[in-house]
Amino acid sequence: MSNNVTTTEKGPARSRAATRSAATPPAGEIGLGMLPELIGYHVRLAQMAVFADFERSLGTLDLSPGLFGLLVIIEANPGLRQIQLAAAARLDRSTLVPALDKLEARGLVERRAAPDDRRSNGLFLTRPGAGLLQRAKAIVRDHEQRIAGALSAEERAVLVRCLDRLAPEVRES
Amino acid sequence: MSNNVTTTEKGPARSRAATRSAATPPAGEIGLGMLPELIGYHVRLAQMAVFADFERSLGTLDLSPGLFGLLVIIEANPGLRQIQLAAAARLDRSTLVPALDKLEARGLVERRAAPDDRRSNGLFLTRPGAGLLQRAKAIVRDHEQRIAGALSAEERAVLVRCLDRLAPEVRES
DNA sequence: TATTGTTATACTCTATAACTATA
DNA sequence: TATAGTTATAGAGTATAACAATA
């Protein structure tokens, strides 16, 4: 099996690549080789497209996808310690610090000294933080409908189940 | 509808969150709020897991996923111009320069002055570059089997088709 | 004037290692 | 000794703006 130069496998033999070995491949006919056969390639493109919409949507509130995720987790777990939040968000604890600094500087999140262990901080949403998050969640639900609008509820469920089954060995964490 | 603190929606009311407002949520019970309802969340986790395996696999050859993709596209389109490669790889042309510098410094890729337009370079794999790419492709095929091994051929096809239908509006490029 | 490749620069996200204050 | 948070630092990966050579 040789590589496809174009995406189509069959069809009449085009003018051979060798015929124009030093020439420029015509625009619009640039092949991607084996890349479209790789699931990771499609996952990456989907990620880029979904995140572009996500970022543009939340940009209204000056929130990144990452900061939004932190707010959601803090809301679901009031009093969470930084190290626990880092684990839940799959970040290093040092990565979390500047992110929380931003949220705290904007008055959305509060670090309260933990009563039982003075090394730790308990994390809480402030009232403005909770309010902003409610608006953000509404925006994110709109985003979700926009990006997945072409898929039925069943297709979405299948998609998520397939995604969750990818690279199981890497996920033992 | 209030937010779920844990992932489970129903079930007997647990000790109220208010009861331990300043306490630490027990480890292993950290909820993720609405995040698991978002397709983008699962896409991102899958991306991270797949890329981790991809990077580890190709690391053997000191190749990143990005550099591998460039080699594949050049192989499929000998003589490609940098601006065309940038478009195919969805990179800015300025981003491509240091990547090609790396590949050229390792003797894997050659920039040849284009005969018809002296502003442009035609890109070609060297013989060692083509050889390395063959080995890389074999590694990547193994990687593909490893990450998608839990999915049938049909499931993989469904997954890819669903992924390609996400965020269609953002993809008009 | 417009385009190709390049350079300088900067921004985001992330991690590692070392420090501090507690435990 | 070990852990929670912090700091300093660095490395990918990406982009924008400006420049030289060429069209």
Side-chain angles (χ1 to χ4, degrees):
Chain A
M1 287 290 188
S2 59
N3 298 299
N4 355 351
V5 173
T6 61
T7 309
T8 49
E9 185 64 75
K10 303 185 177 180
R14 296 192 313 110
S15 57
R16 304 276 308 289
T19 311
R20 49 173 173 72
S21 65
T24 307
E29 292 191 29
I30 299 177
L32 297 175
M34 79 183 297
L35 297 184
E37 297 164 30
L38 302 177
I39 287 177
Y41 176 74
H42 296 272
V43 172
R44 175 163 167 267
L45 290 187
Q47 231 265 31
M48 285 171 49
V50 169
F51 261 57
D53 189 278
F54 198 127
E55 271 187 308
R56 195 167 53 80
S57 307
L58 278 179
T60 314
L61 301 181
D62 198 33
L63 272 185
S64 68
L67 294 183
F68 171 77
L70 296 181
L71 292 179
V72 170
I73 299 174
I74 294 171
E75 181 192 47
N77 307 275
L80 199 66
R81 311 288 162 104
Q82 290 186 204
I83 202 166
Q84 293 178 304
L85 177 56
R90 296 163 185 254
L91 296 174
D92 190 88
R93 67 193 201 274
S94 70
T95 305
L96 186 61
V97 173
L100 286 176
D101 288 347
K102 272 186 217 164
L103 294 175
E104 202 171 30
R106 289 174 60 184
L108 304 176
V109 162
E110 214 181 337
R111 285 163 160 123
R112 289 187 209 156
D116 55 313
D117 183 343
R118 281 154 55 204
R119 295 172 301 182
S120 307
N121 296 324
L123 300 173
F124 297 89
L125 254 41
T126 62
R127 184 174 267 292
L132 186 77
L133 180 55
Q134 294 321 304
R135 286 198 285 155
K137 282 156 95 173
I139 289 173
V140 167
R141 290 194 202 283
D142 286 350
H143 146 84
E144 182 79 1
Q145 285 314 304
R146 193 164 47 246
I147 64 147
L151 274 58
S152 70
E154 199 198 343
E155 285 174 317
R156 296 181 201 188
V158 170
L159 171 58
V160 166
R161 257 183 282 119
C162 286
L163 285 171
D164 289 352
R165 288 161 65 205
L166 288 179
E169 293 159 14
V170 183
R171 287 172 130 126
E172 325 157 332
S173 70
Chain B
M1 286 289 189
S2 59
N3 298 297
N4 0 348
V5 173
T6 61
T7 308
T8 48
E9 183 65 74
K10 303 186 176 179
R14 296 192 314 109
S15 56
R16 303 277 307 289
T19 310
R20 48 173 174 73
S21 64
T24 306
E29 291 191 29
I30 299 177
L32 297 175
M34 79 183 298
L35 297 183
E37 297 164 30
L38 302 177
I39 287 177
Y41 176 74
H42 297 271
V43 171
R44 174 161 168 268
L45 290 187
Q47 231 265 34
M48 286 171 50
V50 168
F51 260 57
D53 190 278
F54 198 128
E55 271 189 306
R56 196 166 53 82
S57 307
L58 278 178
T60 314
L61 302 181
D62 198 32
L63 272 184
S64 68
L67 294 183
F68 170 77
L70 295 180
L71 292 178
V72 170
I73 299 174
I74 294 171
E75 181 193 48
N77 308 274
L80 199 66
R81 310 288 161 103
Q82 288 186 205
I83 201 166
Q84 293 177 304
L85 177 55
R90 296 164 185 252
L91 296 175
D92 189 87
R93 67 192 200 276
S94 70
T95 305
L96 186 60
V97 173
L100 286 176
D101 288 347
K102 272 187 217 164
L103 294 175
E104 203 171 29
R106 289 173 61 182
L108 304 176
V109 162
E110 214 180 336
R111 285 163 161 124
R112 289 188 209 155
D116 54 312
D117 184 343
R118 282 152 57 202
R119 293 172 303 184
S120 307
N121 295 324
L123 300 172
F124 298 88
L125 255 41
T126 63
R127 184 174 266 293
L132 186 76
L133 180 55
Q134 294 322 303
R135 285 198 285 155
K137 283 157 92 174
I139 289 173
V140 167
R141 291 194 201 284
D142 286 351
H143 145 84
E144 182 79 1
Q145 285 313 306
R146 192 165 48 246
I147 63 148
L151 273 57
S152 69
E154 199 199 343
E155 284 174 318
R156 295 182 202 188
V158 170
L159 170 58
V160 166
R161 257 183 281 120
C162 287
L163 286 172
D164 289 352
R165 288 162 64 203
L166 288 178
E169 294 159 15
V170 183
R171 287 173 131 126
E172 325 158 332
S173 70

